[in-house]
Amino acid sequence: MDEPDDRWIAATASALLAAEYENVPVEPLTERRPGLPLETAYRIQAATVARRVAAGARVVGHKAGATSKAIQEQAGVDEPDSGVLLDDMVLASGSTGHRSVLMQPRVEAELAFRLGSDLCGPGVALEEARAAVKEVFLALEVIDTRFTGWQITIADSIADNASCARVVTGPMVPLDADMDLAAEPVVVSVNGTAVATGEGRAVLGDPLLVLVWLAGRLHRFGDGLRAGHLVLAGAVHASLPLEAWSTVRARSPHLPPVELRVL
């Protein structure tokens, strides 16, 4: 990519970070550059992440997005994307978040992993991915967009770090050999009322396949999943609006519940 495009990527990364800090959304990138290549969008994402790391943030994992049909249909996309998790985005279950610091937040319940060993390269086998997992847990992902509204393309989402704003992690438990994550049903409630449900198989047929897909995607950029990384497998249901003065909770039969209070 030539120098003007490098400058545009840098300027776009700055604009996205400014939009977040100032809480003022900007126009979707694809309105100005229709057909924005996904590789360019990932370069914008990398530029924003690099600036946040330079300012003191630390990479703690990755998220996969749009891995379920429910989310793909809701977002109008037909393939997954991924983003980077930073330590200042992660909250423990039971934490309180403030709606006012976000722009257009929505919330999703997900199955998630903490890796015990590196997982790199193309052609990762499912059993290899399972063996790399040390612990599994329920997570609530708060997605948000720095753009004016959710009418965005997958390229816009990718540039915006796959729309990831916050991650609430539930208690982590070992991944037992007999645990069938594809069959694990997850129920989401808001203020005590169940509002959404989905099974692990909603994401690529098996949430462990998300690790296979993500390891392959990162490999194309010379990267991989590392021991200790957190990995979100993607929502098992369509995303829900995140409102102030609410408590969002996700539970499943074999994993501890996760909860977020919003003021």
Side-chain angles (χ1 to χ4, degrees):
M1 185 170 288
D2 59 23
E3 192 171 343
D5 279 329
D6 285 341
R7 287 200 298 267
W8 183 78
I9 287 170
T12 301
S14 294
L16 288 173
L17 289 171
E20 180 180 357
Y21 296 144
E22 296 166 8
N23 215 11
V24 178
V26 296
E27 173 185 45
L29 302 181
T30 53
E31 289 188 9
R32 287 172 283 161
R33 288 204 173 191
L36 180 72
L38 299 192
E39 299 300 311
T40 303
Y42 276 116
R43 290 189 64 192
I44 295 167
Q45 178 190 121
T48 61
V49 169
R51 291 181 186 210
R52 291 184 61 180
V53 168
R58 180 171 54 88
V59 174
V60 295
H62 297 267
K63 65 151 285 187
T67 51
S68 69
K69 289 297 182 186
I71 290 292
Q72 288 183 2
E73 291 172 2
Q74 185 179 41
V77 302
D78 59 4
E79 62 181 295
D81 64 2
S82 72
V84 179
L85 305 182
L86 301 170
D87 60 342
D88 57 6
M89 299 162 62
V90 179
L91 304 170
S93 181
S95 293
T96 298
H98 292 269
R99 170 66 179 78
S100 61
V101 302
L102 301 167
M103 287 184 275
Q104 302 156 85
R106 302 182 69 84
V107 65
E108 305 171 345
E110 313 191 9
L111 293 164
F113 307 101
R114 189 166 78 88
L115 299 186
S117 58
D118 293 354
L119 195 64
C120 305
V124 170
L126 180 61
E127 284 310 308
E128 187 181 353
R130 188 180 187 102
V133 174
K134 182 172 185 179
E135 294 168 311
V136 61
F137 58 100
L138 291 177
L140 293 172
E141 182 185 0
V142 177
I143 60 171
D144 201 359
T145 179
R146 298 180 180 111
F147 300 117
T148 49
W150 280 104
Q151 300 304 309
I152 56 176
T153 70
I154 191 169
D156 294 309
S157 174
I158 289 167
D160 195 21
N161 198 24
S163 304
C164 188
R166 302 287 187 276
V167 178
V168 187
T169 58
M172 302 179 189
V173 299
L175 178 57
D176 292 338
D178 59 351
M179 190 179 290
D180 183 0
L181 294 178
E184 187 76 0
V186 181
V187 178
V188 187
S189 63
V190 177
N191 294 333
T193 300
V195 293
T197 186
E199 291 186 334
R201 61 173 51 91
V203 291
L204 300 187
D206 185 331
L208 288 165
L209 287 173
V210 174
L211 296 175
V212 173
W213 175 82
L214 194 51
R217 201 207 70 72
L218 292 173
H219 176 75
R220 297 200 301 273
F221 290 82
D223 200 359
L225 298 170
R226 305 299 175 192
H229 271 178
L230 307 179
V231 179
L232 303 188
V236 298
H237 61 93
S239 67
L240 304 163
L242 186 67
E243 307 290 356
W245 311 110
S246 64
T247 298
V248 183
R249 193 171 192 263
R251 58 181 172 82
S252 76
H254 301 104
L255 298 171
V258 58
E259 183 175 286
L260 171 66
R261 293 188 289 272
V262 186
L263 299 180

